[in-house]
Amino acid sequence: KKEKKKTTNTKLTEKKKKMSIRSVQRMSAQSRSSTGTRYTNASNVMRKQLSETRSAIIQTQQGEYDESKLSVFPPIGEFKNAEVGVPYTMLFSIQNRGAKLIDVKITPPITGEFQLLHVPKRGLAPGLETTFKVKYYGEKEQAFTDQLIISTKAQTIKVPLKATPPMAEIDYSKQIDFGTVLPELIQTQTMTITNIGLKSGKFAFLIPDDLQDSIGIEPREGVIEAESAIDVKVTLQTQSETGIQRGHINLRVFTESVVKTKPVDYPFNIVAQVVEARVSLIHPKNRAPIESIHFGSTYFGKTLKQPYTLFNASPFPVRFGFDTPVHEGEEDEPKEPSFYAEPSTGVIPAFGELPVSIMFAPEKPDEKSGFAATRAESHESEIKFKEELLLEVNETRQQIMLDMEGTGLSVDVSINMKNLHFGECATNDNRDILLIMANTQALPVPFSIPHQAHFRFIPSEGTLAPFETANIRVMFSPTQLGEFKRRVPIKLHNKLLKKVIYLHGSCNKIGKKTETIRGLEAIPEDFEVEPKFVANPNRNELSKHSEKKAAYTLRERREKERESLLATKSMSEALAYQKSKKNRKQFDDFLKTQRTQRLEKRQQRQKSEHISKYISDLLLGIVPTLEEPIPAVPKTRDPLYVASKFGGRSRRHPIKFDPNRLIERKFNEEPQTKEEKQDVTIRLNAKMLNKVRHGPKSIDFGDVSVFSKLVKNFSVCNDLSHHVLVQFADDMNDQGVQGESRMEVYPKAQVIPPGAIAGFDMRFFADSIQPFQQMVYFTVNESSKIKTTILADVHESDVRPSATNLSFRFDEHNLERSLKRTITLTNHGTAPAQFEFGSSGDKRDFEKHFDVSPRSGIIEPKKELEVTIQFTPGSLSKGTHTYLLSVKGQTKDIPIKLIADNPPAKVSIAEKKVDFGTIPVGLKKIKYLTLKNTTKHAAVFHVDLPQDVLNNDKYSLTVSPAKGKVMPNSTQKVMLEMLAHTTIALNDIPIDVDIRGGKTTRVTLFAKSLTPKVESLSGDDIKFGSIYVGASTMRVVKLKNTSAIPAVLYVDMVDKPDFKIADANGTLVTLETPPNAMITIASDVADDESEHSDHESLAAEEEDEDVGEDGIDEEEMKGERYQFVIPEESTIEFQMLFQPRVVTDYAFPMAFGLPGSTSLALKILANALKPRMMIRPPLVNFNSRVVWSEDKGIMPHRQLIYLTNEDQSELYWEFGKVEALSQPNIFRLEPTEGRLMQGQTTQVQVFFTPREKKKYDIKIPLYLDGTAPQPNENDSKNPDDLPEGDAVPP
């Protein structure tokens, strides 16, 4: 019994569990039905709450589920977006669903943020419910949780309590469906995420590793403000396999300002259906795919066309293109394709078809002429074409290669003779020659021969069948006396080929005209002309044989030609021809029978007349007095029809009165001639007035903008035979006109001639907004009054801007002071619109940061005008302003809202003033400003100098950078460079540092410049004495700076190339001198030999092309410009080198330039003597050359020098050995010795073969008269150490 009872209790417990679950499901269903379809998100939340309610909320005291007799709603108390310091209350209800009284106990929350209000009584009757409230009050911005415990003796319910502060909450699409896409392509869609919460949040998209290559999202992460939306670009790289492509991605959002909150994940799916797209070229009838096309044969210059169909087997429209592929070797000489398609490009709709035509247009290649031509090429009349035509599909990168074949033929027709001589022929006679034309091709050839006077061609046009020989009868039938010569072109196949024949004939007498039968009695044979062939010496047996064939009648020749052409036609055409031939024969027989009958009747009539004459002879000359009774028939004559524009029986033609077509010609407003004055006084009756037509009956201007000036035409047509005067009333604007809109007619009157149409310009001035209707009256000849109606609907001006909300936010790469936005104003009306922009707020503050250009203007009807709005932040980083667009004739102003949304900037400058102190004239000095950004956003700055600083010539102040960006929590250096050109003293020079979106800071500048004093310790003259050309000598110069500031001096020796400056050690100052040396090159233009490339060196001329008349290189004739920097109260020592190149005397001042003061000048005295032997040029400069190597095979570089004997006697010369180089044969001279008579010149070749990358600089001595040292005598001597007179200066 105990076991049976235990089993029964277990079954009851399971039954109660199932009933409890059913009750929860019923509650869920009721909740779904009550919320409706519009609240899908709310139903999802309710289902979530109910699912939480199912989990261990209802418990019995024994710890087992029991049938719920007590219900609580809502099952969860959730306080969303609860702000700090704001109390919130929520109402709960408890219902007793049992059949007995229940004692209910409510245990309040434990935490202090939740408070139970209005505790109900403990007893709850069956079926009744009671309510209570729970209050939440939070003092911290964080999430709180607690619970309520509602219990009875048999049941305990736990109600969770949750409170969340304002957070970011995302509303988004849970699935992005790309739809049907193509494989291996990039697809893009835009996804909008909206923050419906009250706080901004950071978001980031979490893409699984296996989807990193196929899915891209931009931006990947960022910040979304409260109650705002962001568009996210989602990119999908589709897979190569067809099918459904899926991807699961999470959007994680975290609210920064709320503590103790976890990031929330919002999942969404990316789905795409990948399908394969194929395009095929098919036959339009059997739908078979096409891979090759055979066109057959056609003549050159003609086109064959075959229709086909492009079929797109994909759900997308695709673009295609036909092209001729270019193979290797054909890039330089591309051929003109003979096969092409029409259309060559286009779009095929999804699952659609597009008809295309493939064309074959062979072009005969250009024939060679002259010696380049061959006999085979000149007779090539058939060419086979085999090409490829490429069909490409852009979207799928599909390519279909079509093999094309076709044959091009030349029109080849031969003629048996070119000159046709007909000889003598009289008029009314004929001479004939048979012309034979033969077609040698397998295609028919149409021909035509133009008409020629005195000559006939039978037939003159036709078609030569393939391989057919045709006989053409050429007949000479002159109609006048004289000599006749004709050049006749025979056009073959629509002028593809021309054959020319020459006709010669003469007529010297008039022949007898033969009577021929014409009219109804004539039969076809009567029109035939019997051929008379002339004896032509050029005739062959074929032409003689063909003369018999030419004797056929015209009908027989045409029938034979027709039968030969029908040999290639269809059976139906042949049957039709046979039927027409039978009908013609019957008609010919009918004509012959009628002719026979007419001849018989004529013979009978002649016979009767003969009998009647015989009877009259029997009357013995008695003349009858009575005439034959011939009845009189009345004759009717139709009156002559006069085609006149007026009067008589002229016909009234309908006239279409077009109000939009203005008639420019206007007639006189008053009668001028006597006839006009008489005509306008005629009073018109109703019938006459009906002939004065006018129209249109009403003129409707339609929808018109206020202030419009429109013109339409009103026409009056005069069908009378005299003039009429049409005149409009002068007081038309007083007849029922409302407001200020008015009508004018130009001209007021016109005298309309008979049969003419006059046009009156109806001018409408819409000056007020209202519907317009007016009757306009005019009179004809000042008596008859006629009216017409003018209609118009005048509305206000219609000017619309392209945007009414403009956002001004600088991007991170913009360093400009201002930001421009452009809107387009469109005038949709019919009148010019006058507009003006005005401010709706504080005008001074508004105009300080925003500017509109143009602020006012006029927009023509149906035109557009671009308006630029410029925002200059200044100290304003965020704000909203509104412009009002006022349009004349538009009742409401249009607000243009301008939103400035930029982060504030705060930059401090460490230096309040910049003091350069005392600086020397001509020497630069640099100072720095330190800008520090103390905000979390980058700050843009601009450094502004006063205008008088920028435009002065006494000093120059340079700022670098003049504008830039200071990164967050970092510093930026700004360099100020001062260079004084004369003595100055600057005090309190303002320098403004403008911070975009922040305050402008001013820094003051102080500077003072002095001119240093420099004197020469070497005297005022520098004497070099006399030396030979080519030799060199040096002099030491000392300069002293006696001032307390550094001195900068400049010496210009550009035009004195024989003088150079070296330092105290004797090292020449060159471009390679360190820039921090006291003496440097100050020239702005210098030859940079290192920039010469290797190929330029190879292309250099071996001969010395830059050598002048004196043998000196023109480049070496230029000196240098030197810069001296002498420290304060110090002395500088340097050497001057004098190396003359020409024989001359030097006496000039060498000026040491001191900026701002008088220059220091030293007088240079030197004399260059003529040597015994002159060397030109004294310096052999190879510049930059390529290093020699055996594999390159480069020839040695060569230059020439010239030796001239300037002595009074013969000289023996000899070059010394080159021992200073580590590698031999770098420099080589040929010849190395020789003799020169007085005034004789010889040339020496200098070869340069560099072995490594380095600079080569050597001196080679030249000995005269056998003064060269013996072997091993001067091996250790340097050429510079040789005694004077032993050798020419090296």
Side-chain angles (χ1 to χ4, degrees):
K1 290 182 179 179
K2 291 181 179 179
E3 292 177 356
K4 186 177 181 180
K5 186 176 180 180
K6 185 176 181 181
T7 303
T8 304
N9 293 334
T10 303
K11 293 180 178 180
L12 291 174
T13 303
E14 293 177 355
K15 185 177 181 181
K16 291 178 180 179
K17 290 181 179 180
K18 293 179 180 179
M19 294 178 66
S20 176
I21 293 173
R22 290 195 196 98
S23 64
V24 173
Q25 291 176 350
R26 284 195 299 270
M27 292 175 61
S28 176
Q30 292 175 1
S31 175
R32 286 195 299 269
S33 63
S34 62
T35 53
T37 57
R38 294 182 302 143
Y39 303 98
T40 305
N41 295 331
S43 63
N44 293 335
V45 175
M46 184 61 70
R47 283 195 294 271
K48 183 178 179 181
Q49 294 176 352
L50 293 175
S51 63
E52 294 178 357
T53 307
R54 295 191 189 102
S55 59
I57 294 180
I58 305 175
Q59 296 179 350
T60 58
Q61 289 182 353
Q62 292 81 8
E64 298 178 354
Y65 288 99
D66 197 357
E67 182 179 358
S68 177
K69 296 182 180 180
L70 189 68
S71 65
V72 180
F73 186 83
I76 299 176
E78 186 172 4
F79 298 88
K80 289 186 177 181
N81 297 325
E83 298 181 0
V84 177
V86 179
Y88 298 89
T89 59
M90 182 176 292
L91 181 66
F92 290 84
S93 62
I94 305 174
Q95 184 180 12
N96 182 6
R97 296 186 177 182
K100 297 181 181 180
L101 181 67
I102 298 178
D103 189 8
V104 181
K105 180 182 178 183
I106 302 177
T107 303
I110 300 175
T111 58
E113 285 75 17
F114 297 96
Q115 182 180 359
L116 180 63
L117 302 177
H118 182 63
V119 180
K121 297 180 180 180
R122 301 187 65 175
L124 188 59
L128 297 182
E129 67 175 15
T130 184
T131 60
F132 64 92
K133 294 182 180 179
V134 175
K135 177 183 176 182
Y136 167 75
Y137 182 83
E139 296 180 351
K140 296 181 180 180
E141 192 173 12
Q142 66 181 48
F144 296 95
T145 59
D146 208 331
Q147 65 177 359
L148 284 174
I149 301 177
I150 304 173
S151 59
T152 62
K153 291 182 179 181
Q155 184 179 358
T156 299
I157 300 176
K158 296 180 180 179
V159 179
L161 300 177
K162 298 180 181 180
T164 57
M167 299 177 62
E169 185 177 356
I170 302 300
D171 183 17
Y172 68 106
S173 176
K174 294 186 178 181
Q175 179 168 309
I176 300 178
D177 190 359
F178 282 88
T180 307
V181 295
L182 298 176
E184 297 183 353
L185 292 179
I186 297 177
Q187 306 291 332
T188 303
Q189 279 198 16
T190 301
M191 171 186 177
T192 302
I193 57 175
T194 305
N195 184 5
I196 59 176
L198 302 179
K199 290 285 185 177
S200 62
K202 284 187 175 181
F203 68 90
F205 289 93
L206 306 180
I207 304 177
D209 295 338
D210 57 341
L211 300 178
Q212 290 286 344
D213 297 334
S214 59
I215 296 177
I217 298 178
E218 185 181 353
R220 191 75 171 268
E221 58 185 14
V223 177
I224 180 170
E225 301 294 337
E227 297 180 351
S228 63
I230 295 179
D231 290 335
V232 178
K233 180 181 178 182
V234 182
T235 305
L236 175 65
Q237 174 69 44
T238 58
Q239 60 191 8
S240 58
E241 298 82 6
T242 59
I244 299 178
Q245 184 175 355
R246 299 180 182 272
H248 181 77
I249 297 176
N250 283 333
L251 171 61
R252 178 165 293 177
V253 180
F254 177 72
T255 306
E256 290 183 306
S257 59
V258 181
V259 297
K260 294 184 180 181
T261 57
K262 296 181 179 180
V264 181
D265 288 345
Y266 297 89
F268 65 95
N269 296 322
I270 296 178
V271 182
Q273 177 72 33
V274 183
V275 297
E276 184 179 6
R278 301 291 297 177
V279 174
S280 57
L281 182 67
I282 60 176
H283 197 278
K285 293 183 179 180
N286 56 16
R287 314 291 292 178
I290 303 299
E291 296 181 354
S292 61
I293 301 176
H294 301 273
F295 281 90
S297 302
T298 186
Y299 287 114
F300 291 114
K302 292 296 180 181
T303 302
L304 291 181
K305 180 171 67 173
Q306 293 188 14
Y308 293 97
T309 301
L310 284 175
F311 175 66
N312 179 16
S314 67
F316 305 98
V318 295
R319 294 172 294 174
F320 72 92
F322 285 94
D323 196 4
T324 302
V326 179
H327 301 284
E328 294 183 359
E330 298 180 357
E331 293 84 355
D332 298 334
E333 296 182 1
K335 298 181 179 179
E336 187 71 21
S338 302
F339 302 90
Y340 60 95
E342 289 185 358
S344 59
T345 59
V347 178
I348 312 175
F351 297 110
E353 298 179 355
L354 183 68
V356 296
S357 297
I358 308 298
M359 310 290 188
F360 173 46
E363 293 291 339
K364 190 174 182 180
D366 296 336
E367 295 184 356
K368 297 180 181 179
S369 59
F371 296 101
T374 61
R375 184 176 299 274
E377 291 177 348
S378 61
H379 291 83
E380 187 176 7
S381 61
E382 177 179 341
I383 300 177
K384 292 185 178 181
F385 293 86
K386 290 185 178 181
E387 298 179 4
E388 293 178 342
L389 192 62
L390 180 62
L391 171 60
E392 293 182 312
V393 182
N394 299 344
E395 285 76 9
T396 62
R397 297 185 291 275
Q398 178 187 355
Q399 293 185 349
I400 300 176
M401 193 69 69
L402 302 175
D403 296 329
M404 318 297 291
E405 291 186 8
T407 303
L409 301 177
S410 298
V411 178
D412 193 2
V413 175
S414 60
I415 302 176
N416 63 333
M417 62 185 71
K418 189 174 183 180
N419 294 293
L420 282 71
H421 297 273
F422 291 90
E424 298 289 341
C425 179
T427 59
N428 301 321
D429 199 359
N430 64 287
R431 295 291 185 270
D432 299 271
I433 296 178
L434 191 63
L435 186 67
I436 301 175
M437 294 173 48
N439 180 14
T440 62
Q441 294 290 6
L443 294 177
V445 179
F447 70 91
S448 63
I449 305 175
H451 173 73
Q452 302 293 328
H454 310 291
F455 295 92
R456 287 181 60 191
F457 294 87
I458 304 173
S460 62
E461 60 181 14
T463 302
L464 294 176
F467 305 107
E468 181 189 8
T469 300
N471 300 325
I472 299 178
R473 175 186 171 189
V474 184
M475 183 173 63
F476 174 49
S477 178
T479 59
Q480 64 187 34
L481 302 178
E483 294 284 340
F484 303 101
K485 295 180 181 180
R486 296 290 186 271
R487 180 183 181 275
V488 182
I490 301 177
K491 301 177 183 178
L492 301 173
H493 210 303
N494 297 330
K495 301 182 182 179
L496 282 183
L497 182 65
K498 286 185 179 180
K499 294 285 186 177
V500 180
I501 61 175
Y502 298 90
L503 308 181
H504 306 271
S506 62
C507 178
N508 54 4
K509 63 179 179 179
I510 299 176
K512 183 179 180 181
K513 186 175 183 181
T514 59
E515 295 183 0
T516 57
I517 301 175
R518 294 291 186 265
L520 297 177
E521 298 180 357
I523 60 176
E525 285 77 2
D526 296 334
F527 293 92
E528 296 290 338
V529 179
E530 181 180 358
K532 298 178 181 179
F533 293 99
V534 299
N536 196 324
N538 296 328
R539 291 188 303 170
N540 51 23
E541 295 298 327
L542 177 62
S543 61
K544 292 179 181 179
H545 173 72
S546 301
E547 286 183 359
K548 299 178 180 179
K549 295 176 62 178
Y552 290 136
T553 61
L554 176 63
R555 180 67 56 82
E556 291 175 346
R557 287 199 305 272
R558 290 181 178 175
E559 288 180 0
K560 287 187 175 295
E561 179 184 358
R562 181 70 175 173
E563 290 175 357
S564 64
L565 292 177
L566 286 175
T568 59
K569 300 295 181 179
S570 61
M571 182 61 69
S572 60
E573 293 186 6
L575 294 176
Y577 171 70
Q578 293 294 335
K579 186 177 179 180
S580 63
K581 181 179 179 182
K582 183 179 179 181
N583 293 337
R584 285 198 303 271
K585 187 176 182 304
Q586 291 178 358
F587 181 70
D588 292 345
D589 295 341
F590 170 76
L591 292 178
K592 291 179 180 180
T593 304
Q594 292 294 322
R595 181 177 181 180
T596 304
Q597 293 177 359
R598 285 194 298 272
L599 290 176
E600 291 178 353
K601 290 182 179 180
R602 184 180 301 171
Q603 292 176 359
Q604 291 178 1
R605 186 168 55 254
Q606 291 177 356
K607 185 178 181 180
S608 63
E609 288 178 356
H610 178 71
I611 294 173
S612 62
K613 183 179 181 181
Y614 176 75
I615 294 174
S616 65
D617 293 339
L618 295 177
L619 294 177
L620 301 176
I622 300 175
V623 180
T625 57
L626 296 177
E627 295 182 354
E628 298 180 3
I630 300 176
V633 180
K635 296 183 180 180
T636 59
R637 296 183 60 186
D638 294 333
L640 181 64
Y641 176 76
V642 180
S644 173
K645 295 189 294 183
F646 56 89
R649 297 178 58 190
S650 61
R651 199 177 159 195
R652 256 180 98 169
H653 298 281
I655 298 176
K656 182 179 180 181
F657 297 102
D658 188 1
N660 298 318
R661 182 178 179 182
L662 300 180
I663 299 177
E664 296 183 359
R665 181 184 178 186
K666 308 298 182 184
F667 299 104
N668 296 328
E669 297 188 16
E670 296 179 354
Q672 302 294 329
T673 65
K674 182 178 180 181
E675 180 185 2
E676 292 177 354
K677 293 179 180 179
Q678 291 178 355
D679 290 346
V680 299
T681 59
I682 299 175
R683 189 174 184 86
L684 304 181
N685 53 28
K687 186 176 181 180
M688 299 172 65
L689 194 61
N690 190 32
K691 292 186 178 183
V692 180
R693 292 179 287 169
H694 61 277
K697 300 300 181 183
S698 62
I699 299 178
D700 189 0
F701 285 88
D703 293 334
V704 179
S705 300
V706 67
F707 307 121
S708 295
K709 298 178 181 179
L710 303 177
V711 180
K712 286 186 179 292
N713 179 60
F714 180 78
S715 302
V716 178
C717 177
N718 180 16
D719 290 334
L720 297 172
S721 58
H722 55 81
H723 296 76
V724 294
L725 174 62
V726 177
Q727 187 174 9
F728 281 83
D730 293 333
D731 55 349
M732 62 175 60
N733 290 316
D734 297 334
Q735 303 173 10
V737 181
Q738 300 178 2
E740 299 178 354
S741 297
R742 65 187 190 280
M743 280 292 306
E744 289 185 1
V745 180
Y746 174 80
K748 291 291 185 180
Q750 291 190 65
V751 178
I752 307 174
I757 299 177
F760 293 86
D761 296 342
M762 313 300 288
R763 300 175 179 178
F764 175 63
F765 299 88
D767 297 332
S768 61
I769 302 174
Q770 62 180 13
F772 182 85
Q773 181 175 357
Q774 180 178 345
M775 299 296 179
V776 178
Y777 296 90
F778 66 93
T779 59
V780 181
N781 284 1
E782 298 182 352
S783 58
S784 303
K785 194 173 184 180
I786 305 174
K787 70 175 181 178
T788 185
T789 306
I790 307 298
L791 301 173
D793 186 7
V794 184
H795 54 76
E796 63 181 18
S797 301
D798 188 6
V799 175
R800 306 174 196 171
S802 59
T804 57
N805 292 312
L806 297 180
S807 177
F808 293 86
R809 184 179 180 89
F810 291 88
D811 58 26
E812 59 181 0
H813 303 292
N814 193 337
L815 300 179
E816 300 301 326
R817 295 178 187 266
S818 58
L819 189 62
K820 294 182 179 180
R821 293 287 185 265
T822 301
I823 61 174
T824 303
L825 303 182
T826 305
N827 183 7
H828 296 273
T830 59
Q834 184 177 354
F835 70 92
E836 183 179 3
F837 284 92
S839 176
S840 63
D842 186 359
K843 185 175 181 181
R844 290 175 299 174
D845 184 61
F846 186 82
E847 292 183 347
K848 182 180 179 181
H849 302 288
F850 291 90
D851 182 45
V852 182
S853 178
R855 185 174 290 273
S856 60
I858 296 177
I859 309 174
E860 297 298 325
K862 309 299 180 182
K863 299 293 183 179
E864 296 179 350
L865 179 67
E866 289 189 353
V867 177
T868 302
I869 301 179
Q870 180 174 332
F871 168 60
T872 305
S875 60
L876 176 67
S877 59
K878 293 186 179 181
T880 302
H881 297 284
T882 302
Y883 267 126
L884 292 180
L885 174 59
S886 302
V887 181
K888 184 179 180 180
Q890 200 161 326
T891 56
K892 294 184 179 180
D893 295 339
I894 302 175
I896 308 296
K897 190 176 182 180
L898 310 178
I899 303 173
D901 187 11
N902 297 281
K906 186 176 182 181
V907 176
S908 60
I909 303 177
E911 298 81 8
K912 300 302 180 183
K913 67 177 182 177
V914 179
D915 190 357
F916 283 91
T918 302
I919 59 177
V921 174
L923 191 62
K924 296 179 181 179
K925 192 171 184 179
I926 296 175
K927 291 287 185 178
Y928 292 93
L929 295 177
T930 304
L931 310 183
K932 184 177 181 181
N933 184 5
T934 59
T935 62
K936 296 182 180 180
H937 304 279
V940 176
F941 67 90
H942 288 77
V943 180
D944 299 328
L945 298 178
Q947 197 65 29
D948 56 349
V949 174
L950 297 175
N951 297 332
N952 79 93
D953 55 355
K954 295 182 179 180
Y955 64 93
S956 59
L957 180 61
T958 307
V959 180
S960 178
K963 62 180 178 180
K965 181 190 297 185
V966 186
M967 302 308 293
N969 298 320
S970 62
T971 58
Q972 172 70 38
K973 292 286 188 179
V974 177
M975 183 181 70
L976 301 177
E977 185 179 73
M978 171 67 74
L979 175 61
H981 307 300
T982 183
T983 303
I984 59 172
L986 303 178
N987 296 315
D988 294 334
I989 301 298
I991 301 176
D992 294 333
V993 181
D994 182 19
I995 307 301
R996 192 177 69 188
K999 296 181 179 180
T1000 300
T1001 305
R1002 174 165 290 184
V1003 178
T1004 56
L1005 181 142
F1006 299 87
K1008 183 180 180 181
S1009 65
L1010 295 176
T1011 302
K1013 297 180 179 180
V1014 179
E1015 60 184 14
S1016 173
L1017 302 180
S1018 302
D1020 296 336
D1021 298 337
I1022 301 177
K1023 300 178 180 180
F1024 288 94
S1026 298
I1027 64 173
Y1028 288 107
V1029 171
S1032 62
T1033 183
M1034 288 190 176
R1035 295 292 183 266
V1036 178
V1037 181
K1038 293 183 180 181
L1039 300 178
K1040 182 178 181 181
N1041 181 11
T1042 59
S1043 59
I1045 57 174
V1048 180
L1049 296 86
Y1050 295 94
V1051 177
D1052 191 357
M1053 304 293 290
V1054 175
D1055 57 345
K1056 300 295 185 295
D1058 293 344
F1059 295 88
K1060 299 184 183 298
I1061 295 178
D1063 58 11
N1065 299 324
T1067 303
L1068 292 178
V1069 178
T1070 62
L1071 293 173
E1072 299 179 357
T1073 303
N1076 57 354
M1078 299 180 67
I1079 306 176
T1080 58
I1081 297 294
S1083 177
D1084 296 332
V1085 181
D1087 293 334
D1088 190 2
E1089 299 178 356
S1090 62
E1091 294 182 356
H1092 289 219
S1093 59
D1094 293 342
H1095 67 275
E1096 291 175 343
S1097 299
L1098 290 173
E1101 294 290 341
E1102 297 294 340
E1103 300 293 339
D1104 191 4
E1105 297 180 353
D1106 294 333
V1107 175
E1109 295 180 356
D1110 54 356
I1112 299 178
D1113 192 349
E1114 294 179 359
E1115 293 293 332
E1116 299 296 333
M1117 290 295 292
K1118 296 180 180 179
E1120 300 290 350
R1121 185 169 179 263
Y1122 300 93
Q1123 176 182 338
F1124 293 77
V1125 178
I1126 308 175
E1128 59 274 10
E1129 298 179 353
S1130 61
T1131 302
I1132 183 174
E1133 179 179 338
F1134 63 93
Q1135 298 185 28
M1136 286 196 67
L1137 172 66
F1138 174 48
Q1139 186 176 8
R1141 306 186 186 193
V1142 294
V1143 178
T1144 184
D1145 295 334
Y1146 293 95
F1148 63 91
M1150 183 175 68
F1152 289 84
L1154 292 173
S1157 65
T1158 305
S1159 300
L1160 172 66
L1162 299 179
K1163 189 174 182 180
I1164 306 298
L1165 301 173
N1167 185 18
L1169 302 177
K1170 184 178 181 181
R1172 298 176 64 192
M1173 178 172 286
M1174 182 69 70
I1175 305 175
R1176 294 180 301 175
L1179 175 65
V1180 181
N1181 188 1
F1182 281 91
N1183 295 323
S1184 297
R1185 299 292 180 175
V1186 178
V1187 176
W1188 181 86
S1189 61
E1190 295 182 358
D1191 54 349
K1192 292 184 179 179
I1194 301 176
M1195 297 294 294
H1197 308 290
R1198 187 192 69 153
Q1199 286 195 20
L1200 298 179
I1201 61 175
Y1202 298 89
L1203 306 181
T1204 304
N1205 184 2
E1206 302 289 347
D1207 201 359
Q1208 300 297 325
S1209 61
E1210 181 184 5
L1211 288 179
Y1212 171 77
W1213 58 270
E1214 180 183 4
F1215 282 105
K1217 295 184 178 180
V1218 183
E1219 302 291 346
L1221 299 177
S1222 59
Q1223 297 179 357
N1225 298 327
I1226 300 298
F1227 289 96
R1228 182 167 54 89
L1229 289 85
E1230 291 184 1
T1232 59
E1233 60 181 348
R1235 291 183 178 275
L1236 288 176
M1237 303 301 292
Q1238 178 184 359
Q1240 186 180 2
T1241 301
T1242 186
Q1243 66 178 13
V1244 178
Q1245 301 183 75
V1246 182
F1247 296 95
F1248 175 48
T1249 309
R1251 305 281 182 170
E1252 56 183 342
K1253 295 181 178 180
K1254 59 179 291 186
K1255 182 177 181 180
Y1256 295 92
D1257 188 3
I1258 66 170
K1259 296 182 179 180
I1260 303 176
L1262 175 64
Y1263 300 95
L1264 303 178
D1265 296 333
T1267 58
Q1270 299 299 322
N1272 300 325
E1273 181 180 350
N1274 290 324
D1275 291 347
S1276 61
K1277 291 184 179 182
N1278 191 289
D1280 293 338
D1281 299 333
L1282 295 175
E1284 185 176 358
D1286 292 345
V1288 176

